[in-house]
Amino acid sequence: MLRIQEAVSAAQTFELMKKMLGHLVPEAELMVKSEIAFEINRLKKEKKAVILGHNYMEPALYHSIPDHVGDSLGLSRISASTDAERIVFCGVRFMAETAKILNPGKMVLLPARVAGCSLASSITAEDVRRIKKAYPGVPVVTYINTYADVKAETDVCCTSSNAVSIVNQLESDTVICLPDEFLARNVARETGKRVLFPGDMIRNGEPSMVVWNGKCEVHEKFTVGDITAARAQFPDTVVVAHPECPPEVVEASDYSGSTTAMVDFVKHSDAKRFLLLTECSMSDNIAAENPGKEMLGMCSIRCPHMNEITLEDTLECLREDKYQIEIDEDIRVKAKKSLDRMLEMSA
Ligand code: SF4
C-alpha cells in the first residue's frame, strides 16, 4: 500500500490519511492537515531532510510525515546512520540533542523553541558530579531522557528498552542510575539491587542502585486504582505500562516495556482490548494500525512538551531551518562516548 509520505498530491494525501485515520480524526481536520503534510513531504525532499517521529506524536503527524518512527533507542540508531543533510526531530529537545551529538556535521532541527521534559530538567551536570564524588568508581548509567551536559558526565546511557541489560552487563554490584526514580526502581527490582538515595551508605557486598528523584510528569500520575477500575469496567482488558510508571503500577500490569515494545506487544497479542499507561497519543497511533483492537487511553494525562510539536510548526521549521540544535563541542564529544557505549552494548 502506498505510504502517505509518498503521495503525489494533497488530494491523494487526504485520501490516504482518511483511510488510515478516518475512524479517529474528523474529516474536516484531515482536510487541513493533509495539505500541510503534503507540503512538508515535498519540502523534505527538496531540502534533503529526514524526519524522525517519536511514538508520542499526535496521530495525523505520526502517520503522515516521519520517514522513521520509534522510541529513543530506535531513533538514536537511525540518527547515527542517516545520510540526510538535515534531521528534523518530531519529539522533544533531549531527543534532538541526541541526534546532534551523534551527527555534529548535520543540521538538526526541532520544530518547537523549547519542547522540554520533566525528567531531563530534574537533574544537572553539577548534581551528577556531586553523586560521582560521593560514590567514587561506581559506574553511572543515565537515561537517554537527559540533556547533553548530563550525558557528558555519564559512563553509559540507557533507554527503557535496554536499561536492565546494560546494568547487568556492567561489572559492578553497585550502579548509579539517573535521573528517573521509577525506571531505576523497576530496573533495581529486575536486577536484584537494593535502592539507595544519594547520601545513603553502600553496605559491603550488597548489590545496590543509587537513584535520583526525577519523575516523568505523565507516567507518575498513573495509579493501581486506574488499573483496578479499568478491569472492573472491562474485565478482558490487558494492561500495558511503560517502565517510567511507579513500580506498583508496573507490577499490577500484564506487560511492561518501552514504547516500541508496547507497540509490538499489542500487535502480536490475541487480546482485543488494552489499557495503555503512557502518553495517550500512542493509544490512537496503535489503534490506527490495529483496527480490530480497542485501546483505552487515559487522555486526561498528556505530555505538554510532546504536544508542542505540530504539523504547522514542522512546516515552518523546514521552511526557515529553525530551531537549530547547537551543543558545545567539548560536551558533545564526552556525551557521545556514553551514547556510543550504549549502542555498542545494545547491538
Ligand atoms: S512523556 Fe514524560 S519523559 Fe516523555 S517527554 Fe514527556 S515528560 Fe518527558
Side-chain angles (χ1 to χ4, degrees):
M1 193 176 99
L2 188 69
R3 293 180 76 218
I4 297 168
Q5 288 80 342
E6 293 157 8
V8 294
S9 65
Q12 191 179 38
T13 305
F14 171 70
E15 285 309 320
L16 291 169
M17 286 178 80
K18 194 168 92 171
K19 203 166 177 184
M20 171 151 265
L21 300 167
H23 59 300
L24 293 170
V25 185
E27 225 170 271
E29 173 92 343
L30 287 179
M31 288 287 272
V32 176
K33 293 198 166 175
S34 57
E35 285 195 13
I36 303 171
F38 176 68
E39 179 56 12
I40 291 173
N41 287 326
R42 189 197 65 74
L43 203 53
K44 177 173 77 177
K45 285 188 205 113
E46 190 181 297
K47 297 190 100 170
K48 297 189 173 55
V50 66
I51 299 185
L52 308 181
H54 188 263
N55 288 329
Y56 290 163
M57 291 295 102
E58 59 98 2
L61 184 156
Y62 180 85
H63 290 284
S64 67
I65 59 166
D67 299 287
H68 306 278
V69 292
D71 59 13
S72 299
L73 178 60
L75 295 176
S76 302
R77 283 206 172 103
I78 291 162
S79 313
S81 61
T82 183
D83 54 8
E85 286 177 11
R86 288 170 174 76
I87 301 172
V88 176
F89 216 116
C90 290
V92 290
R93 175 165 293 269
F94 74 79
M95 296 175 176
E97 273 196 0
T98 302
K100 185 68 182 180
I101 292 166
L102 295 169
N103 286 285
K106 294 190 196 297
M107 185 186 289
V108 176
L109 299 165
L110 181 68
R113 190 185 294 276
V114 183
C117 166
S118 65
L119 271 175
S121 58
S122 73
I123 193 160
T124 65
E126 184 50 36
D127 292 327
V128 185
R129 284 192 286 271
R130 262 201 312 272
I131 298 169
K132 288 199 295 190
K133 205 169 164 195
Y135 300 97
V138 176
V140 181
V141 180
T142 295
Y143 197 22
I144 199 160
N145 298 28
T146 45
Y147 293 120
D149 56 343
V150 167
K151 288 186 175 84
E153 295 294 334
T154 294
D155 293 301
V156 55
C157 283
C158 73
T159 69
S160 55
S161 59
N162 62 21
V164 170
S165 158
I166 283 182
V167 168
N168 278 332
Q169 287 178 65
L170 293 171
E171 287 170 6
S172 175
D173 277 350
T174 300
V175 171
I176 298 166
C177 189
L178 310 168
D180 184 348
E181 179 185 337
F182 292 154
L183 176 74
R185 282 182 178 277
N186 286 318
V187 173
R189 182 169 42 81
E190 285 196 47
T191 55
K193 297 193 191 296
R194 188 168 77 98
V195 170
L196 304 177
F197 281 91
D200 292 344
M201 294 277 290
I202 299 171
R203 287 191 210 142
N204 221 354
E206 185 175 55
S208 306
M209 180 170 285
V210 181
V211 311
W212 187 247
N213 63 359
K215 309 272 186 332
C216 162
E217 67 189 84
V218 175
H219 294 93
E220 70 170 339
K221 295 201 178 86
F222 298 119
T223 66
V224 175
D226 296 331
I227 297 177
T228 312
R231 283 185 176 140
Q233 191 179 357
F234 304 104
D236 61 342
T237 300
V238 173
V239 181
V240 183
H242 192 274
E244 288 168 16
C245 291
E248 66 276 13
V249 170
V250 169
E251 275 187 69
S253 303
D254 298 296
Y255 177 78
S256 175
S258 68
T259 53
T260 295
M262 291 165 99
V263 171
D264 289 344
F265 176 82
V266 173
K267 190 171 161 190
H268 295 114
S269 168
D270 292 333
K272 293 282 177 247
R273 200 194 309 265
F274 301 84
L275 172 66
L276 251 62
L277 298 179
T278 192
E279 220 295 323
C280 157
S281 293
M282 218 178 91
S283 301
D284 289 337
N285 291 333
I286 296 180
E289 284 169 351
N290 298 271
K293 297 183 178 175
E294 187 183 342
M295 298 295 136
L296 306 173
M298 304 264 302
C299 291
S300 56
I301 301 176
R302 305 301 308 262
C303 176
H305 316 293
M306 288 284 182
N307 280 290
E308 282 182 46
I309 309 298
T310 64
L311 277 170
E312 289 81 352
D313 290 337
T314 307
L315 180 55
E316 200 177 318
C317 153
L318 261 174
R319 277 184 178 146
E320 297 183 19
D321 285 340
K322 71 177 192 185
Y323 299 89
Q324 294 187 32
I325 301 290
E326 300 294 346
I327 300 172
D328 174 89
E329 182 60 7
D330 190 40
I331 288 176
R332 189 197 68 78
V333 169
K334 288 187 193 152
K336 185 169 183 294
K337 281 189 190 151
S338 66
L339 283 166
D340 284 345
R341 193 160 175 216
M342 173 188 80
L343 293 171
E344 281 160 28
M345 289 172 81
S346 328

